[in-house]
Amino acid sequence: MFSEQLISKLKKAESIAVFTGAGISAESGVPTFRGENGLWKKFRPEELANFDAFMRNPDLVWEWYRYRKKIIADIKPNPGHYALAEMENYHKNFAIITQNVDNLHRRAGSKTVYELHGNIERNYCIDCRKNFPNEKILLSDKVPHCICGGLVRPDVVWFGEMLPEDQWNAGEAAAERAEVFFAVGTSAVVYPAASLPQIAKRAGAYVVEVNIERTELSYDADEVLIGKSGEILPKLLDTCYKK
Ligand code: BJW
Ligand code: ZN
């Protein structure tokens, strides 16, 4: 299933970067955005994941985020997240660069995690930037407001918004340094995140895609592993690290 080239590269590599998307959390029960069972089928993204939509209809946007916050609070990391957390112990530099907002990599024990699109467990006031704990938000079904009167929003990155600069810079540096770069469970259509595999490849990385189906990225990848990340990543750990 894994090429000799990948096995020997992983045995020697000092620097690994793993770029993840919604697919890695699918086996935990988090719906993906696009595809057959994607969230975007039920909700139009432009109605929900941008600031203007939030100002126009905060009730609807908050209904969507509360629904997702509740899912995420009730689920656990899956074997794919745990395999990545264990792989971190075998390399000098190991970074997870995630587009996910669900915090599951940290909950699985991964230490170096860059969050390109924020974290759904955090919230802040759009006027004074005060942070608001999730527990408080989940207690009520009303649109949350700050004591200053401002609207509170989830601390995630919507379309048209800049990615957090520190997370992006660290993620880009990890992609440039990587000897092996994995892209796991992402359709790789949302930019600038989707440029990371190209950045890694241009800097000399061996690019490996893990997905249940081929994507735009498959043409450029050095190796494409088709299957569920919750099955492939634990197998990779057994084959390339423990033997
Ligand atoms: C499995 C599996 C299993 C399933 N195992 N695999 C043209 C027009 C308009 C805008 C643009 C444009 N060109 C570029 C832009 C900019 C825009 C963009 O990229 N748009 C494109 C969609 C066209 N990007 C932005 O706006 C970004 N900001 C930016 O560019 O700033 C500069 C700027 C400033 C001012 C003005 C303009 C530009 C910000 C992007 C923010 C994205 N935000 C979201 C929502 C986050 C909050 C939330 O979660 O609610 O991020 S959108 C959504 O997509 C989310 C995800 O992180 C992101 C990526 O999705 P992902 O993870 O790839 O999921 P899926 O569902 O697409 O794919 C899942 C995959 O898993 C599939 O391939 C399955 O096969 C696979 N899978 N089960 C393995 N078990
Ligand atoms: Zn405020």
Side-chain angles (χ1 to χ4, degrees):
M1 159 163 227
F2 308 110
S3 72
E4 283 305 321
Q5 206 178 353
L6 175 59
I7 296 173
S8 83
K9 277 181 188 289
L10 284 176
K11 286 202 191 305
K12 288 189 292 226
E14 281 198 351
S15 300
I16 305 282
V18 186
F19 173 51
T20 64
I24 194 166
S25 298
E27 289 156 78
S28 292
V30 184
T32 58
F33 291 91
R34 301 168 188 85
E36 261 318 290
N37 298 310
L39 274 173
W40 296 138
K41 282 218 150 163
K42 287 174 232 156
F43 301 97
R44 283 157 48 83
E46 59 275 23
E47 270 175 47
L48 301 171
N50 74 72
F51 188 74
D52 290 346
F54 178 63
M55 294 311 283
R56 244 187 344 262
N57 198 344
D59 285 285
L60 176 67
V61 175
W62 263 114
E63 191 185 328
W64 188 50
Y65 278 99
R66 266 210 193 82
Y67 159 75
R68 293 174 56 208
K69 277 172 187 281
K70 282 179 186 154
I71 294 179
I72 286 162
D74 285 347
I75 50 133
K76 291 190 184 67
N78 67 57
H81 295 105
Y82 287 117
L84 292 179
E86 201 173 332
M87 278 163 64
E88 188 164 4
N89 300 323
Y90 291 88
H91 300 277
K92 191 167 165 223
N93 305 305
F94 188 96
I96 291 181
I97 312 160
T98 191
Q99 298 167 89
N100 299 342
V101 298
D102 58 26
N103 213 23
L104 288 180
H105 286 300
R106 284 221 181 77
R107 283 174 56 193
S110 285
K111 292 181 194 76
T112 306
V113 182
Y114 303 122
E115 292 174 322
L116 300 183
H117 293 162
N119 188 313
I120 201 171
E121 293 182 350
R122 298 191 303 254
N123 313 276
Y124 68 91
C125 167
I126 63 172
D127 287 343
C128 72
R129 306 283 303 190
K130 182 176 152 48
N131 292 322
F132 282 80
N134 234 10
E135 302 77 56
K136 222 171 176 177
I137 304 258
L138 287 171
L139 280 178
S140 151
D141 280 340
K142 295 204 182 82
V143 170
H145 282 86
C146 177
I147 34 170
C148 82
L151 273 171
V152 174
R153 62 167 281 179
D155 190 357
V156 298
V157 181
W158 285 328
F159 286 111
E161 294 182 330
M162 304 299 283
L163 274 53
E165 205 180 341
D166 58 336
Q167 303 297 294
W168 171 257
N169 289 342
E172 191 181 32
E176 281 169 345
R177 190 172 52 218
E179 291 146 77
V180 181
F181 181 97
F182 290 94
V184 183
T186 177
S187 58
V189 294
V190 175
Y191 284 83
S195 61
L196 288 172
Q198 300 151 22
I199 290 172
K201 188 154 173 102
R202 245 184 280 130
Y206 188 76
V207 175
V208 182
E209 179 177 41
V210 179
N211 202 304
I212 50 169
E213 60 187 28
R214 289 183 68 85
T215 69
E216 290 295 313
L217 194 68
S218 310
Y219 301 98
D220 293 327
D222 295 295
E223 194 155 334
V224 180
L225 304 170
I226 297 288
K228 292 182 174 175
S229 48
E231 292 169 7
I232 291 182
L233 295 173
K235 240 180 243 161
L236 184 84
L237 186 67
D238 277 348
T239 313
C240 305
Y241 291 81
K242 299 198 168 160
K243 279 185 186 144

